[in-house]
Amino acid sequence: MKQLLSFIHKEFLHIFRDTWTMMIIIALPIVMMILFGYAVTTEIKNTNFGVLDYSKDDLSKGIVNKLKSSEYFIYENDGYNNYQEAEESFKNGDVGIILVFEENFYENLTHTGKANIQILADGSDPNTARTLVTYASSIINIYLQEKNPSPTPYQITPEIKFLYNPQLKGSYNSVPGVIGMIIMLICAMMTAVSITREKERGTMEVLLVSPIKPIYIIIAKLTPYFVISVINVIIIFIISHFIMGVPIAGNMFWITILCILYIIVSLALGLLISTIAHTQVIALLISGMVMMLPAVYLSGMMFPIENMPWILQFISNIIPARWFVAAIRKIMIMGVEVRYIVNEMVILVTMIIVLVAISLKKFKQRLE
Amino acid sequence: MNPIIAKDIKRSYGKVEALKGISFEVSKGEIFGIIGPDGAGKTTLFRILSTLLLADSGEAKIDGFDVIKDYKAIRQIVGYMPGRFSLYQDLSVEENINFFAKLFNTSLKENYYLVEEIYRHIEPFKKRRAGALSGGMKQKLALSCALIHKPSVLFLDEPTTGVDPVSRKEFWHMLKMLKAQGITILVSTPYMDEASLCNRVALIQEGSFLDIDTPENIVNKFDQEIWSANSNNMPKLLIDLRNLKEIKSAFAFGDTNHITIDKETFNKEIIEEKLKSLGHKDIILKGIKPTIEDCFMELAKK
């Protein structure tokens, strides 16, 4: 026991004395939270829009005013006189979308029941364009309904409601994702690097030619990163809840259990990498390429898994982050009961068992 | 039973045969040197004996324990210092030795007497990070760490490589002291001049032992006459000497050339004349006593 404690103490010393390690474990989670919570967001706010109004009647002006008053759009110019002017300001990047009202807009609507608005958006950034168009058309529809509650008896107007995240806040999505990435980074990468460092520096030889059991070496190597990860998760939760206003709807106990399961999976992955890699650089590359990239791109934290080709969907099944992100979204944001995430939990536990078994088998009593 | 016994140890890395059947025994309290150039197989042998590597065939026993079956027992009783000083560079001197002491379930306080002679040299710097120590001090710290648990057998793989001459001398002095305490020491070195400091040496070349004997016997067994040869143009001299039929071999040896001669035909004056005619000046030919390195070169030729 004394052996183990002194070993763990030594591991903490390694971490505290390395500036870069400290930077990664302290600054990185906070930077990533801010980055993904605020900067890299799919929400669109304060977009400039332009108007080319051939009609200039009350209705078209009303629509423009309605758009102006929404938080998504800003109207700063006086309207264009012709199409060339409109396109010119588009090319300059002055505006995100342009509304074009046809001539006799209001009359057409009242007399024929049909009037045309053209919405021009920049298709070179399809995601933003789509979002802007959706926002704009829903604002226009709402306005028209207010003006004219029952235009035709049989019209069906879908009313869309986004459950659990009614304002479609990006941070609701990014928090589970950031936890998924940070833990993968700290646990898997740092553990793998710290074990391979011993191999590279030759200290592993001395450790092996000593009475200490390999399992103690492993426990001692993993313990500090486990502790640090738990602290990091707490920090992330505090930032996301109190600063970004992300709700924690579910049961805190099960959220904790879920996070701990994911931390253990990541540690086991790091351990596995360290049994394969012989140098720190290789360990870094493997954890970066094989662990981090899939965790970011294939876990569903950035891109929906449903949209991926089947082969990537298939691969995403073996990525722990996928199951963690799915489960944490359900339990934290949706606030479901634990029985809805049993599936994910079982998969994570299975992964732990398999990874630990392989690592222990591969962790050698000898050099080769 | 001898504390180190190796029988016909073979080990290959792919197609390369690192060890081609090594056998030797080391008796208790002996300093046994494995002498040979880089790549001769010294480290592989050390790793096999210290249970870090498995041999392809052959067997080895340390203090009666088999290196494969009883590796756990061996790890309790041996001290191992790998080729590179395997210390934690970011930990202080004190933290390093305390860590290694705890690893063996002991403490610096408890076994201070064992390492005192060596550790007191570096104790004034105990707060300094190991990475900031000089080569000689790192070596002393690594040796202290390897000794802290009172091993009965000590494996030192090239402990003096990369260390200044003064520290090397001190180091061998320390080994003598440890030997006096009854510790069996297996030490490897690429420096031939350190061979004479061992009780017995094995000369290793390309995975085979050329000879095992005391340094004196190895020199005495040498049946060739050795001369040293100097002139004003040393590189040309070496080539010219090799072309003379009276000279069997010639090697550069520090600031001189060592030659073995054909006793039947060798005549100092004739050789000097021949060299003069080849344009050499200030020629000095001297009969000298062979060193271990001369023996190694001669044995390695065969």
Side-chain angles (χ1 to χ4, degrees), chain B residues 10 16 74 124 136 171 197 260 263:
Chain B
K10 288 184 181 148
V16 184
I74 292 176
F171 188 79
L197 302 165
T260 55
K263 285 173 206 159

Side-chain angles (χ1 to χ4, degrees), chain B residues 134-183:
Chain B
S134 71
M137 288 203 281
K138 275 185 192 164
Q139 178 202 44
K140 280 175 196 139
L141 177 57
L143 184 62
S144 303
C145 292
L147 279 173
I148 191 71
H149 61 290
K150 202 174 189 213
S152 62
V153 177
L154 202 50
F155 292 116
L156 308 172
D157 189 8
E158 299 202 10
T160 52
T161 302
V163 173
D164 65 274
V166 178
S167 299
R168 273 169 61 187
K169 222 174 149 189
E170 269 181 6
F171 188 79
W172 280 96
H173 175 71
M174 290 170 198
L175 292 192
K176 275 199 181 125
M177 233 162 47
L178 295 172
K179 166 194 148 75
Q181 293 175 20
I183 298 177

Side-chain angles (χ1 to χ4, degrees), chain A residues 3 14 198 200 205 365, chain B residues 75 80 84 88 90 103:
Chain A
Q3 248 182 345
H14 287 319
E198 301 250 4
E200 207 176 302
E205 285 180 53
Q365 309 276 1
Chain B
R75 289 176 183 189
Y80 173 53
R84 305 159 284 174
Y88 294 103
D90 52 340
L103 208 57

Side-chain angles (χ1 to χ4, degrees), chain B residues 199-226:
Chain B
N199 297 110
R200 281 194 304 147
V201 295
L203 302 181
I204 187 170
Q205 162 94 342
E206 284 171 8
S208 310
F209 278 174
L210 304 172
D211 196 5
I212 305 174
D213 215 326
T214 62
E216 298 79 35
N217 281 348
I218 286 185
V219 173
N220 291 341
K221 271 192 281 188
F222 193 65
D223 52 359
Q224 307 282 340
E225 242 180 79
I226 290 268

Side-chain angles (χ1 to χ4, degrees), chain B residues 32-156:
Chain B
F32 191 94
I34 310 269
I35 319 281
D38 289 346
K42 300 191 295 288
T43 298
T44 305
L45 180 62
F46 270 77
R47 286 180 170 170
I48 289 171
L49 293 176
S50 57
T51 75
L52 278 172
L53 267 188
L54 293 177
D56 296 337
S57 67
E59 58 175 311
K61 285 199 160 80
I62 308 297
D63 257 357
F65 297 112
D66 186 87
V67 286
I68 300 166
K69 274 205 318 272
D70 311 316
Y71 73 93
K72 280 184 184 158
I74 292 176
R75 289 176 183 189
Q76 301 273 359
I77 54 162
V78 300
Y80 173 53
M81 202 171 131
R84 305 159 284 174
F85 304 125
S86 301
L87 302 162
Y88 294 103
Q89 313 274 332
D90 52 340
L91 300 190
S92 70
V93 168
E94 207 177 18
E95 284 160 346
N96 263 294
I97 195 153
N98 279 326
F99 171 71
F100 284 108
K102 290 247 177 64
L103 208 57
F104 286 90
N105 289 314
T106 175
S107 68
L108 178 60
K109 229 167 141 187
E110 204 176 311
N111 282 353
Y112 188 76
Y113 68 97
L114 282 171
V115 295
E116 191 185 353
E117 272 295 310
I118 302 157
Y119 187 63
R120 65 186 166 83
H121 293 277
I122 44 174
E123 208 165 12
F125 313 104
K126 63 183 181 186
K127 297 282 179 211
R128 193 181 285 186
R129 303 251 167 112
L133 294 176
S134 71
M137 288 203 281
K138 275 185 192 164
Q139 178 202 44
K140 280 175 196 139
L141 177 57
L143 184 62
S144 303
C145 292
L147 279 173
I148 191 71
H149 61 290
K150 202 174 189 213
S152 62
V153 177
L154 202 50
F155 292 116
L156 308 172

